[in-house]
Amino acid sequence: MGRPNAGKSTLTNALVGTKIVITSDKPQTTRTVVRGIVHRPDAQLILVDTPGLHRPRTLLGERLNDLVTTTLSEVDVVAVCFPANERIGPGDRFITGEVAKIRRTIKFAVATKTDLATPEQIGRHLLDIQEIGREAGIEWAEIVPVSATAGDQVSLLADLLVAQLPEGPQLYPDGELTDAPEEILVAELVREAALEGLRDELPHSVAVVVEEMGLREGRDEDRPLLDVHANLYVERDSQKGIVIGPKGTRLRKVGTAARHQIEALLGTPVYLDLHVKVAKDWQRDPRQLRKLGF
């Protein structure tokens, strides 16, 4: 866990060894609790990637924070991510205070994005992490610097996490990398493609729902085609125009990028039918939030 854009999802993907959660430079990209499964000869590591904990400004924000706090009580280890290329700030203190409230859970600190920091910055950052833990009354079981994009110390982090896990049965079958339904994964890949190039408040206003998905009937087994019908929701008419772009150019780009990612994930050619709709102020409307899966 960590504040928005702390590198949690990129680290989850690096540990699992493939992309199971979307990533973006936009804060609060993660909106669901996604479980990634790491299979090893000696262990099975179930990683729970949570939305960024933040001071909420909308009902959606409140619900995402609730997801995080519920998850905290259900895990064996909490790994708090602190990006090494940024100074420790109020958001980190807020999160550390929340983590300190969980009494019996083992706590790790992970200094993420070390590829974006100098050795001097990393050294100072590790001391700051130790200090922020001390202020909150947390004894970090481990403080581990990692770079998920460069792969530095990712396997070491996995080893250290496994060492803290209780013995138990295998929870997921071999080869399963996440427990998220395919429709959710596909909707997230469409949203990731849509976030590219958006600025200001617009990324927060984008939501995607897969309305229908299935293999097209009447095709030979060796030439399958997956039909995906998805709606991309924004909050205002003006945003709809931005997402579609002049003569639909931007939406076509989004569709192409998303289709390639879906095909890579599912290993099947895809026909993606994508429409943009307005759900007025959905982040603040309980009825709309329910409809969009929150």
Side-chain angles (χ1 to χ4, degrees):
M1 63 174 294
R3 59 181 161 82
N5 220 10
K8 302 178 293 295
S9 297
T10 307
L11 181 56
T12 300
N13 288 337
L15 283 159
V16 172
T18 192
K19 181 175 182 167
I20 57 149
V21 278
I22 68 168
T23 57
S24 162
D25 59 359
K26 312 291 183 291
Q28 290 158 47
T29 300
T30 304
R31 287 182 179 162
T32 55
V33 170
V34 179
R35 285 174 187 81
I37 303 147
V38 182
H39 299 273
R40 298 168 38 129
D42 59 332
Q44 191 174 70
L45 189 60
I46 290 99
L47 306 164
V48 188
D49 182 30
T50 59
L53 200 55
H54 62 292
R55 295 190 190 281
R57 293 177 300 144
T58 63
L59 183 57
L60 171 67
E62 287 174 25
R63 292 197 174 170
L64 295 185
N65 275 359
D66 289 345
L67 265 180
V68 181
T69 48
T70 304
T71 304
L72 286 179
S73 62
E74 299 171 344
V75 295
D76 298 301
V77 183
V78 173
V80 187
C81 295
F82 301 95
N85 61 329
E86 296 174 35
R87 300 297 296 269
I88 299 282
D92 299 305
R93 287 194 169 78
F94 169 64
I95 286 162
T96 311
E98 292 299 302
V99 170
K101 294 175 189 172
I102 328 155
R103 288 280 167 240
R104 289 182 301 280
T105 310
I106 295 158
K107 299 164 185 80
F108 275 35
V110 183
T112 54
K113 307 187 183 185
T114 55
D115 56 304
L116 301 178
T118 64
E120 291 76 17
Q121 276 178 303
I122 295 166
R124 190 166 59 243
H125 190 63
L126 296 175
L127 291 172
D128 290 345
I129 289 172
Q130 202 157 15
E131 180 59 21
I132 197 177
R134 195 188 59 73
E135 286 170 12
I138 293 174
E139 177 123 10
W140 302 115
E142 301 282 356
I143 301 177
V144 191
V146 302
S147 166
T149 49
D152 295 342
Q153 304 226 107
V154 172
S155 57
L156 170 67
L157 176 60
D159 290 342
L160 294 169
L161 288 168
V162 164
Q164 298 288 355
L165 297 183
E167 279 194 27
Q170 182 171 331
L171 297 178
Y172 290 93
D174 289 339
E176 202 164 302
L177 300 178
T178 178
D179 65 352
E182 284 184 351
E183 284 83 356
I184 298 291
L185 294 170
V186 166
E188 287 287 87
L189 289 172
V190 173
R191 186 164 67 90
E192 180 183 51
L195 291 178
E196 186 62 40
L198 294 181
R199 293 196 313 277
D200 305 323
E201 283 301 296
L202 189 44
H204 299 296
S205 299
V206 173
V208 177
V209 176
V210 170
E211 300 294 342
E212 210 179 319
M213 183 167 124
L215 288 170
R216 188 173 293 185
E217 290 180 8
R219 287 179 71 94
D220 295 340
E221 271 185 34
D222 58 346
R223 288 179 55 251
L225 183 67
L226 184 70
D227 285 318
V228 177
H229 301 275
N231 289 331
L232 195 156
Y233 290 92
V234 290
E235 295 189 288
R236 294 189 290 282
D237 283 318
S238 58
Q239 295 173 336
K240 182 176 178 177
I242 294 168
V243 170
I244 292 173
K247 297 183 178 173
T249 48
R250 197 171 179 287
L251 187 62
R252 277 199 296 279
K253 249 194 212 162
V254 168
T256 302
R259 185 169 51 76
H260 290 320
Q261 290 280 4
I262 297 163
E263 287 176 343
L265 177 76
L266 302 180
T268 309
V270 168
Y271 169 76
L272 176 61
D273 177 39
L274 192 54
H275 295 271
V276 182
K277 297 193 171 188
V278 177
K280 195 166 165 42
D281 291 330
W282 66 263
Q283 291 186 77
R284 293 171 172 80
D285 180 343
R287 194 175 56 81
Q288 302 264 35
L289 281 170
R290 267 197 307 279
K291 182 181 160 193
L292 295 174
F294 299 104

